[in-house]
Amino acid sequence: MLAKNRSLYAFALLAFAVPLPGQAADISCNGLVPLGQKMICPGFEPNWALELSCAGETMTANFVDAFSGGSIVTTPGSVSFTSSSPWTLVTSHGVAGAVAYTPAGCRDEGDNMHDFTFTPTATPGVSGPFFPFCCRIE
């Protein structure tokens, strides 16, 4: 009888420990950006950036244009993902590419190490060739 009670107790504990469908162990957008944070992927020559923000269940995207005018212009938009790890994405601005998790594997122009690398395949106003660059979480 004692063994039966122990197995019922263990089952009850397990039921509370296992997340329900739809619950995530870590709350994030697309398994990439933590809730309340943003990923910034700054391009260089020409200067531009992609910002991916997680403010709720869906992610938003900003395209930061610092090359086509006299001032920096930030345009809000949307982003959709077609795969994860690497995260292949397309924004409403026309930015396309893939973000890969590269632990301490991306070195930026300031010699800082980052955990994510963005490889663009399209950027509005920029013709190739495209080169990978680092992304940071803030």
Side-chain angles (χ1 to χ4, degrees):
M1 180 75 163
L2 185 59
K4 183 177 180 182
N5 286 342
R6 283 186 185 161
S7 62
L8 286 174
Y9 178 73
F11 178 75
L13 285 177
L14 181 61
F16 287 108
V18 176
L20 297 172
Q23 286 182 320
D26 63 340
I27 305 299
S28 65
C29 291
N30 297 84
L32 180 61
V33 179
L35 184 63
Q37 296 187 335
K38 71 171 86 171
M39 175 177 278
I40 302 172
C41 304
F44 186 70
E45 302 234 357
N47 294 330
W48 64 278
L50 177 63
E51 298 176 350
L52 302 173
S53 298
C54 181
E57 292 183 20
T58 59
M59 194 157 359
T60 59
N62 288 330
F63 177 68
V64 182
D65 178 348
F67 63 87
S68 64
S71 64
I72 298 172
V73 177
T74 300
T75 306
S78 61
V79 60
S80 61
F81 292 86
T82 57
S83 69
S84 60
S85 196
W87 291 264
T88 305
L89 61 90
V90 176
T91 73
S92 58
H93 318 95
V95 176
V99 176
Y101 178 59
T102 54
C106 190
R107 185 181 309 269
D108 67 14
E109 294 79 27
D111 211 26
N112 301 302
M113 298 304 291
H114 299 280
D115 293 334
F116 294 93
T117 303
F118 180 60
T119 304
T121 55
T123 302
V126 179
S127 59
F130 296 104
F131 300 98
F133 50 87
C134 303
C135 299
R136 67 185 184 275
I137 302 277
E138 291 186 351

